[in-house]
Amino acid sequence: MFGKIRNSFQLVFIIMIASGLFASVNAQSLEEIMKTRGLSQTDMLAAAKTYTPSGKLDEYVVFSSGGQSGQVIVYGVPSMRILKYISVFTPEPWQGYGYGDDESMDIIYKQGSIRGKEITWGDTHHPALSETAAEYDGQYCFINDKANPRVAVIDLKTFSTTQIVANPIMKNEHGAAFVTPNTEYIIEASQIPAPFTNDYVPLTEFNEKYRGAMTMWKFSRKKGKILEENSFSVELPPYCQDLSDSGKNMSEGWVFTNSFNSERYIGGFGPGNTKFRDRLPHEAGMSSKDTDYLHMIHLDTAIKLFEQGKYKKINGHPVISMETMIANNALFLIPEPKSPHGVMINPSGQYLTVSGKLDTHVSVYDFKKMMKLINAKEYEGRDPYNVPILSMTKSLHGQVELGLGPLHTQYDSEKGIAYTSLYVDSAIARWDYLKLKLIEKIPIHYNVGHLVAAEGDTATPDGKYLIALNKLAIDRFTQVGPLHPQNHQLIDISAGHPMQLLYDMPLPLGEPHYAVMIKADKLKPLIRYKQKWFKNRVKPGRERIVREGNKVTVHSTLIRSHYSPEIIEVNKGDEVVWHLTNLERAQDETHGFSIYLYNINGSLEPGETSTFRFTADQEGVFPFYCTEFCSALHLEMMGYLLVKP
Amino acid sequence: MKIKILKMICLPFILMAFLCLAGNLSAAQDYEKDYHQKVKQNDGTIGIIAGVINYVCPKLVPGSTKICNSEDPVGSAVGVQKYMEQNWDKEEDDIEDAKMPELLNKKAALQFWDAVEQFKMHFPYREKAKQAAEKGDWENALLNEEMAWQYLVKCASRGIFSKKLVDGE
């Protein structure tokens, strides 16, 4: 009896200790971690909202410009895990972009060249996703290059660049890329005015011969390409056009862009060698007026004028003059607070928000009021180029004081709610653009430029998440030299509670300028290429080497873990054309192709065929190998190119 | 609990298989001896692959298909592949795009499908190895047996991937 009691007592005691230990281990570990790492309950909540366990996928995907890297950065939300760098204007070896294969060499070095010059970088600014009925459809992404005006098409089936078009008349741009609600056109607006022609024009002729422009790139969804022959530009005054947006719903058919330096001020600061020497800098004269001009362009009329041939060709590109646009009631200006950055159309298409960086207000324009003035031909004047000017006060729904340096606005799923970045304040404002009142502000770190909300510029924004794209991280990350990473800060904007800062993501790859956020389930990328898509496809069993004179064509295949053929012998001076097909049907079985000395590095994704061309101009032994760890026998995936004297 | 026990049983085998695959690094070029060793190694590896097939197969296709037969693992593997391919237009579509009958774990089945592809590739090399051995061409016998082994390695690699997926690891 006593033994039984003793045994029961022991059992209870062991259970008590075990459960106590178990509980204390769990409780202690969490508390200890919080204590050791100095984490608060709020931090833990933020962690819980963003932590994405291994194997779980993100709800949203962000396409962010890669700034001076010339790329596009893709990452998931809420995890903020980087998923891909899409090479666009800059060669990128891992993806074999610009290192020898015909397709990417053509895109970067041929399509991307301007006036015969190869340009191997870009200043990517504004990605835009293709839309159907003003909703992201997940098919294409477009991105611009501010430095050398170009627009690129990224096919979201493969997440790779398929086309670059160079703007024939612009020398600098900014307001791109923006799409019309069904992606019929991709909009590109210039920034620093310059002559459309490529000849020398002195700055003394600035007002007469320097111009701004907006290019309407016609996009064929069927071909997945911009049709340059169906594209045209509209001439604009030599102000610095800034950011653009396409109308939607009630404002569909119109395109908007704002501007700075409507003063047309030319600086010259410093002891230069022209008559402009010692003038005050551009920054002094470009913001001396209180207002600049919001531009309204009637795209539908411009398309008709283009179709009617009412344009002149400059550098082989059709340009509709301001005079023609004005005569056809297709171009108007409205004063806006000076030095703005962005005109953003709300989901219904009725309201346009414009923020002057040097004003504390955000101005909300009412499209209905603007159209009433246009229809009544009620202008308050004309600019020096005879462009009709609408009254700002009569166009406004109202203004709201949000803080210092308002910049860019995105919309929420809740009617009337918008978010605006405040550059000088280093904050995000949540406000109501219908009731014209500020709701709350949240500090960010630091100096936010653009911001992006989930599907925040579509006809039906999602709310939920917002990311502040901050410029000066200063103390947010471990110091890595004088140049800090950029800081993308994720903010919870779910309805019903104040905004909460969740996560800091450092981005050390150029200055990511602008971003768009799409529901992940709208993206339907390919798992692999279909071999039959490639005209140079090499079928298994048909590998061969063919010599015609001094041209040697190699038809190769790749599969875990060998090339076929593995040894190729040519003569010095031979022109080598090398087709390679990755025969893999397995997911993600990518193989590389790198040859010593020839600056070649291909990335052949499953099913893909690439063609490399080079002259075997040096005799010797040139090993080639697979640069991907494709299997356990990866190192054995190698071969020799032998070049005989 | 059953799954855990099975995992505990299978894991050492997988490790053994891997060691078995990676272990034979003899530098001596006694081709005949090496060939016979390699044949044993490949037979052993196939035996372990068979164990993985028997473990994974019932977790990929419904029992009603009666495809999985532990007495004939190779037949089971090929059966699973045929079952998946029954509506597949090879010229038009990738295997993932094919309209497939009911699968218990499609992700794992696709990995398994590729493992079977790799496995099938080893047969012609073993046949060539045998033919070379019959002629006393031990170097080519060994090389072909080695090539067969490469495909068994690739098969094992994808097979383990498939097993991880069915186990939810």
Side-chain angles (χ1 to χ4, degrees):
Chain A
M1 178 70 183
F2 180 75
K4 273 186 183 174
I5 290 170
R6 194 180 63 186
N7 287 345
S8 300
F9 177 76
Q10 280 177 339
L11 185 65
V12 170
F13 184 69
I14 288 165
I15 290 168
M16 279 175 68
I17 289 175
S19 56
L21 271 176
F22 183 72
S24 65
V25 164
N26 277 338
Q28 264 185 350
S29 61
L30 192 60
E31 281 170 9
E32 271 182 10
I33 289 166
M34 288 174 68
K35 194 177 169 187
T36 310
R37 300 197 63 216
L39 300 175
S40 66
Q41 291 290 344
T42 309
D43 295 331
M44 299 306 288
L45 191 62
K49 286 180 179 179
T50 56
Y51 175 66
T52 306
S54 183
K56 302 279 184 194
L57 304 180
D58 282 305
E59 187 180 0
Y60 290 93
V61 172
V62 169
F63 291 81
S64 170
S65 68
Q68 303 89 330
S69 73
Q71 301 180 354
V72 168
I73 303 161
V74 184
Y75 61 84
V77 170
S79 74
M80 306 299 272
R81 295 179 298 196
I82 292 176
L83 303 172
K84 185 152 191 161
Y85 298 126
I86 304 173
S87 324
V88 184
F89 298 108
T90 308
E92 199 285 308
W94 180 50
Q95 295 164 74
Y97 186 73
Y99 288 92
D101 78 290
D102 275 2
E103 190 187 3
S104 68
M105 296 298 278
D106 179 69
I107 294 169
I108 288 193
Y109 294 102
K110 202 169 162 189
Q111 297 177 26
S113 69
I114 300 178
R115 296 162 65 180
K117 287 205 177 290
E118 290 178 353
I119 297 160
T120 57
W121 79 289
D123 186 10
T124 55
H125 265 233
H126 308 102
L129 292 165
S130 56
E131 296 179 14
T132 300
E135 302 288 355
Y136 297 154
D137 57 35
Q139 295 180 10
Y140 296 94
C141 181
F142 309 99
I143 184 83
N144 68 321
D145 172 13
K146 174 176 169 163
N148 298 285
R150 296 176 292 177
V151 170
V153 179
I154 296 165
D155 189 335
L156 295 181
K157 284 198 293 294
T158 57
F159 279 60
S160 61
T161 304
T162 52
Q163 186 186 21
I164 295 175
V165 291
N167 195 298
I169 56 168
M170 294 177 189
K171 311 296 182 283
N172 183 270
E173 56 100 295
H174 187 263
F178 294 88
V179 299
T180 50
N182 287 296
T183 323
E184 301 94 337
Y185 287 90
I186 303 155
I187 312 298
E188 182 182 26
S190 61
Q191 184 146 84
I192 303 175
F196 289 160
T197 53
N198 294 332
D199 51 338
Y200 166 74
V201 179
L203 277 163
T204 48
E205 297 176 28
F206 181 89
N207 291 347
E208 297 76 30
K209 293 189 176 173
Y210 285 54
R211 288 290 177 267
M214 181 179 275
T215 300
M216 319 297 182
W217 292 110
K218 177 70 181 166
F219 183 68
S220 164
R221 207 184 277 267
K222 195 177 169 190
K223 293 182 178 173
K225 282 191 179 299
I226 289 171
L227 307 177
E228 292 180 73
E229 65 278 14
N230 297 118
S231 305
F232 62 94
S233 294
V234 169
E235 179 190 28
L236 297 175
Y239 312 140
C240 291
Q241 281 76 28
D242 192 51
L243 213 53
S244 314
D245 202 358
S246 170
K248 60 169 87 76
N249 294 323
M250 78 166 62
S251 52
E252 186 170 347
W254 287 84
V255 185
F256 307 88
T257 189
N258 48 20
S259 66
F260 62 94
N261 196 26
S262 55
E263 296 88 346
R264 294 178 291 167
Y265 179 77
I266 301 294
F269 189 64
N273 59 0
T274 69
K275 66 180 278 192
F276 297 97
R277 65 179 174 269
D278 296 329
R279 280 168 64 89
L280 283 171
H282 284 108
E283 62 176 318
M286 284 183 168
S287 55
S288 57
K289 275 170 58 184
D290 281 341
T291 56
D292 285 300
Y293 289 123
L294 170 64
H295 299 41
M296 285 181 78
I297 294 148
H298 196 225
L299 176 61
D300 289 350
T301 301
I303 293 167
K304 279 182 193 155
L305 293 169
F306 169 63
E307 287 169 351
Q308 290 164 4
K310 292 184 177 170
Y311 56 78
K312 61 177 177 179
K313 281 202 167 182
I314 301 173
N315 300 336
H317 174 75
V319 181
I320 303 171
S321 68
M322 277 191 281
E323 194 183 0
T324 305
M325 290 291 285
I326 295 163
N328 287 277
N329 297 314
L331 178 61
F332 302 91
L333 301 173
I334 313 174
E336 59 185 352
K338 66 181 173 183
S339 298
H341 196 62
V343 46
M344 284 69 60
I345 320 295
N346 83 319
S348 73
Q350 182 178 352
Y351 298 100
L352 298 78
T353 51
V354 174
S355 314
K357 292 193 297 289
L358 304 176
D359 189 356
T360 56
H361 297 85
V362 171
S363 302
V364 183
Y365 291 79
D366 185 338
F367 180 74
K368 281 185 180 171
K369 290 182 178 179
M370 291 149 71
M371 286 310 296
K372 198 173 164 191
L373 295 173
I374 288 172
N375 291 332
K377 295 191 185 302
E378 186 183 333
Y379 312 135
E380 69 173 17
R382 290 180 182 264
D383 83 336
Y385 302 92
N386 203 35
V387 184
I389 300 170
L390 309 182
S391 159
M392 179 176 176
T393 50
K394 288 181 181 176
S395 299
L396 278 176
H397 168 63
Q399 292 183 307
V400 191
E401 188 168 336
L402 295 183
L404 301 175
L407 201 143
H408 182 219
T409 297
Q410 290 267 283
Y411 297 96
D412 196 294
S413 53
E414 193 179 339
K415 193 177 177 187
I417 302 301
Y419 301 87
T420 296
S421 53
L422 303 170
Y423 181 85
V424 180
D425 260 355
S426 289
I428 302 294
R430 177 189 250 165
W431 59 290
D432 189 321
Y433 61 89
L434 295 175
K435 295 175 185 163
L436 301 172
K437 65 171 188 184
L438 173 66
I439 298 168
E440 60 165 321
K441 288 202 274 190
I442 183 171
I444 52 79
H445 316 87
Y446 299 89
N447 296 90
V448 56
H450 286 278
L451 45 70
V452 57
E455 308 227 344
D457 60 4
T458 67
T460 56
D462 279 12
K464 294 187 184 179
Y465 298 109
L466 181 139
I467 298 165
L469 281 62
N470 307 330
K471 306 294 170 193
L472 304 169
I474 301 179
D475 57 357
R476 293 295 108 171
F477 306 113
T478 304
Q479 190 85 19
V480 287
L483 179 64
H484 297 248
Q486 304 289 302
N487 185 10
H488 282 206
Q489 284 190 305
L490 179 67
I491 297 165
D492 180 358
I493 56 166
S494 305
H497 59 78
M499 292 186 281
Q500 185 195 357
L501 182 61
L502 299 178
Y503 194 82
D504 285 21
M505 179 175 74
L507 269 182
L509 189 82
E511 184 199 81
H513 192 85
Y514 188 94
V516 282
M517 193 189 315
I518 182 174
K519 281 191 190 81
D521 61 11
K522 287 186 178 178
L523 298 165
K524 309 285 182 202
L526 288 179
I527 289 176
R528 79 171 67 80
Y529 291 91
K530 289 187 189 296
Q531 291 178 22
K532 66 176 183 181
W533 289 347
F534 300 91
K535 66 177 169 41
N536 294 326
R537 168 191 182 184
V538 183
K539 292 184 178 178
R542 301 202 190 158
E543 298 88 349
R544 63 200 183 280
I545 300 168
V546 179
R547 173 177 283 283
E548 293 168 289
N550 71 337
K551 182 181 171 186
V552 178
T553 306
V554 185
H555 301 263
S556 286
T557 58
L558 303 84
I559 197 160
R560 280 161 286 168
S561 299
H562 57 264
Y563 297 90
S564 174
E566 287 184 326
I567 314 285
I568 290 97
E569 194 171 79
V570 299
N571 298 323
K572 186 180 175 186
D574 280 346
E575 296 295 324
V576 179
V577 179
W578 200 325
H579 306 300
L580 295 111
T581 297
N582 180 344
L583 298 177
E584 299 285 358
R585 286 192 180 277
Q587 193 170 338
D588 203 24
E589 274 297 348
T590 296
H591 294 293
F593 175 62
S594 155
I595 311 180
Y596 165 64
L597 203 68
Y598 280 97
N599 200 33
I600 281 175
N601 187 42
S603 168
L604 291 112
E605 291 154 26
E608 190 176 13
T609 295
S610 293
T611 296
F612 299 84
R613 293 169 203 273
F614 57 93
T615 304
D617 53 4
Q618 290 197 34
E619 65 186 61
V621 174
F622 302 87
F624 60 88
Y625 72 100
C626 172
T627 50
E628 284 283 333
F629 200 150
C630 57
S631 74
L633 280 303
H634 153 68
L635 294 176
E636 289 79 352
M637 192 162 173
M638 51 158 280
Y640 288 104
L641 169 70
L642 304 170
V643 182
K644 292 197 295 185
Chain B
M1 193 61 184
K2 256 186 176 178
I3 291 170
K4 278 190 177 171
I5 291 166
L6 271 171
K7 268 190 191 175
M8 285 172 71
I9 294 166
C10 284
L11 272 174
F13 279 112
I14 289 165
L15 281 172
M16 273 170 61
F18 206 77
L19 291 172
C20 173
L21 293 170
N24 185 14
L25 295 171
S26 167
Q29 289 300 287
D30 181 343
Y31 294 125
E32 184 179 358
K33 186 182 160 203
D34 288 351
Y35 166 71
H36 290 302
Q37 249 181 8
K38 183 55 77 177
V39 169
K40 270 187 201 166
Q41 187 189 42
N42 282 353
D43 288 344
T45 305
I46 289 167
I48 289 159
I49 288 171
V52 176
I53 293 170
N54 284 341
Y55 176 74
V56 171
C57 185
K59 296 172 175 62
L60 301 179
V61 291
S64 58
T65 62
K66 296 184 178 165
I67 289 171
C68 303
N69 174 6
S70 58
E71 299 297 314
D72 179 15
V74 175
S76 306
V78 175
V80 171
Q81 208 185 33
K82 281 187 177 163
Y83 176 75
M84 292 170 72
E85 290 177 355
Q86 57 189 272
N87 300 314
W88 182 33
D89 181 345
K90 283 187 186 182
E91 283 302 308
E92 275 303 310
D93 294 321
D94 294 323
I95 185 66
E96 289 87 350
D97 303 329
K99 194 179 169 192
M100 288 182 198
E102 187 191 354
L103 287 168
L104 304 178
N105 187 329
K106 189 176 177 185
K107 269 170 93 174
L110 286 166
Q111 296 301 326
F112 186 83
W113 180 90
D114 187 60
V116 181
E117 282 290 285
Q118 303 302 324
F119 189 78
K120 284 184 335 196
M121 295 290 280
H122 96 282
F123 288 120
Y125 290 100
R126 289 209 91 184
E127 191 52 41
K128 282 181 191 170
K130 267 186 198 167
Q131 287 169 7
E134 280 166 13
K135 290 177 193 164
D137 180 357
W138 299 113
E139 184 181 359
N140 271 316
L142 174 63
L143 283 172
N144 278 292
E145 198 64 24
E146 280 282 354
M147 195 62 209
W149 180 66
Q150 306 298 341
Y151 284 109
L152 294 176
V153 171
K154 288 160 195 159
C155 168
S157 167
R158 288 283 154 173
I160 290 167
F161 207 156
S162 177
K163 185 186 168 295
K164 275 177 180 281
L165 288 168
V166 297
D167 287 345
E169 284 177 11

